[in-house]
Amino acid sequence: DRQFKEAGEYFIQMVRERCFPNVCTCTTLIYHLIRAGKLNAAYTIFNQMMKVNIKPNLVTYSIVMTGYAKKGNVNMILKLAREMKEYGNRPSSTGMEFYPLLKTLLSRTEDVKKVIREIWSEFPVNDRKAILFSLQTDEKFETHITGRAADFVVELNEDTETEEEEVCFPTGDVWLEKASKVHWNKAAFANALNPWSPSTVAALECANVKWNAKFVLDILRRLRLAAVALKFFDWVGSQPGFKHDYYTYTRMIQMLLGSRDFTNVRRLIQEMWQDGVAVPINTYNKIIKCYGLEKDSDGAIDVFNQLQESGLKPNINTFVNVIEALTNAKRHQKARLMLLRMMQTGFKPNLEVYNLLIHCFGVAGQVKMAQSLLQRMCESGIEPNDQTYSALISTCLVVKSLDVAIELFRKMKQDGIRPTDKINSLMFDVFQSSGRNVQARKLEKSPKSALLSKVSEEIALDNYLIIQQTFVKNLVDL
């Protein structure tokens, strides 16, 4: 009781000293309330987060959903899932954030299917089936995890694989010997493949291993270097009786994307087609995303066209990634045309898409177009955030529309949005450039990230007090 009370006191002290809580702080409070069985109190804090401009993340949603799963309230879980995606929180293809939620629902097969369909509605049916299968086999999503999540899971599991047998690595040319038991130490096996050399190939051929896709996937997940992984991938693919499947292909593609080896990525896509392995939409989306990060908009468009030629229909993530690639390459008119195409397809732009386009037109110095996008965004019911205002104010500063920037800054504070350090810095330059030195000095002396108007500051403090009182009231008397 004393510790919970102290936690509540520290929370409100943070607020009064203008050290504002973030999503991790509020998620921690929600977690402890749900553990204590205070679901209604946890949901109260969850609702208050948006009122103080703290956007719940995937972990926050997962914790609250898990609380409702334990109560058997599937309708509330589905409602939260829809809300989560409306606010721009798209679930990852790994699904690791929602593992506790789905395990809680696992005994209720129909309910877990409904939840998987809702959370991963934009993913292929095969991906959703893989999530359900990995749950039922208690594999904790390892069979279809890719990228950083896969590395994280591997690191967690490598220390616990005590049941697997060690592989001998003598000092001679043939360093791989199969021991008497059935299981293998896959971590040691993967380490022995690096560096890849003719002796590595000779040892593998002498080992007489009966390869299967799951074993190969386990090895690929434990390899850190994409170049070594690709050598092993190509070698094992040439072995009699073995054929790569959906999971080995997608894992290898993910590693190649990490090293920006687009040539081999396209080669593997072609091989998947030839082998009759369906290339999922999320794989195409990841490739387009990586091209965007490299500012290679032509590559992104080529993959987008290839996706459509394969018979797949682009989803909202596809359009977002293409638009981002075009904005990163400063092709603002192409990005605008892609937005229109996205809307014609039936997808509504979300906050992320509008922010990308506003930033794009802002960099191009087209203030009127950026403002028209802001107006369209507000008319569609999407509220701007600090990133929206930051892009607009930055644009106004570049083209010397200083009065417009000051008006945007005033509107942002009226909406209760806390200016970030970047916005404060931009407004300092705006005030100085417009000869408003008094305002510039006030801004310079203000605490970081705490420039709220008097009215919005009092509203924010009241909402923080509700969070603190809800937490303390429900836990100190347990």
Side-chain angles (χ1 to χ4, degrees), residues 456-468:
S456 61
E457 184 176 348
E458 290 174 359
I459 292 172
L461 185 58
D462 288 343
N463 286 317
Y464 282 125
L465 279 168
I466 292 172
I467 293 175
Q468 184 257 358

Side-chain angles (χ1 to χ4, degrees), residues 260 287-298 300 319-336 352-353 355-361 363-364:
R260 299 297 186 265
I287 297 170
I288 294 170
K289 179 81 171 178
C290 288
Y291 271 116
L293 294 173
E294 294 294 304
K295 300 182 180 179
D296 185 354
S297 57
D298 289 332
F319 283 107
V320 168
N321 291 345
V322 174
I323 290 171
E324 185 174 13
L326 291 167
T327 57
N328 287 344
K330 300 182 181 179
R331 299 173 67 179
H332 49 276
Q333 291 299 339
K334 286 281 187 182
R336 181 172 172 273
E352 180 183 359
V353 176
N355 281 347
L356 281 170
L357 288 168
I358 288 170
H359 172 75
C360 173
F361 284 106
V363 170

Side-chain angles (χ1 to χ4, degrees), residues 29-39 63 70 475 478:
L29 300 182
I30 290 170
Y31 170 75
H32 284 295
L33 284 167
I34 289 178
R35 282 195 64 187
K38 302 289 184 177
L39 182 57
I63 290 171
K70 291 177 180 177
L475 287 180
L478 286 179

Side-chain angles (χ1 to χ4, degrees), residues 174 176 198-209 211 235 238-239:
V174 181
L176 177 62
S199 60
T200 308
V201 175
L204 284 170
E205 290 174 348
C206 291
N208 294 322
V209 178
W211 300 102
W235 177 85
S238 66
Q239 299 306 297

Side-chain angles (χ1 to χ4, degrees), residues 15-47:
V15 177
R16 285 173 176 156
E17 293 181 1
R18 300 300 183 268
C19 181
F20 291 102
N22 58 18
V23 64
C24 295
T25 315
C26 293
T27 301
T28 302
L29 300 182
I30 290 170
Y31 170 75
H32 284 295
L33 284 167
I34 289 178
R35 282 195 64 187
K38 302 289 184 177
L39 182 57
N40 290 337
Y43 191 64
T44 299
I45 291 180
F46 178 79
N47 282 330

Side-chain angles (χ1 to χ4, degrees), residues 65 72-82 85 101-102 105-106 108-122 128 131-132 135:
M65 288 178 182
N73 192 341
V74 178
N75 290 332
M76 191 64 182
I77 296 171
L78 299 177
K79 174 179 175 291
L80 286 167
R82 287 189 288 271
K85 289 187 287 186
L101 163 67
L102 298 180
L105 292 170
L106 187 57
R108 305 193 295 274
T109 306
E110 290 305 314
D111 287 345
V112 78
K113 285 180 180 179
K114 286 180 185 177
V115 171
I116 289 174
R117 277 197 299 268
E118 185 61 53
I119 294 178
W120 289 275
S121 58
E122 297 167 356
R128 298 201 293 267
I131 291 171
L132 182 60
L135 277 169

Side-chain angles (χ1 to χ4, degrees), residues 28 159 415:
T28 302
D159 295 333
D415 292 342

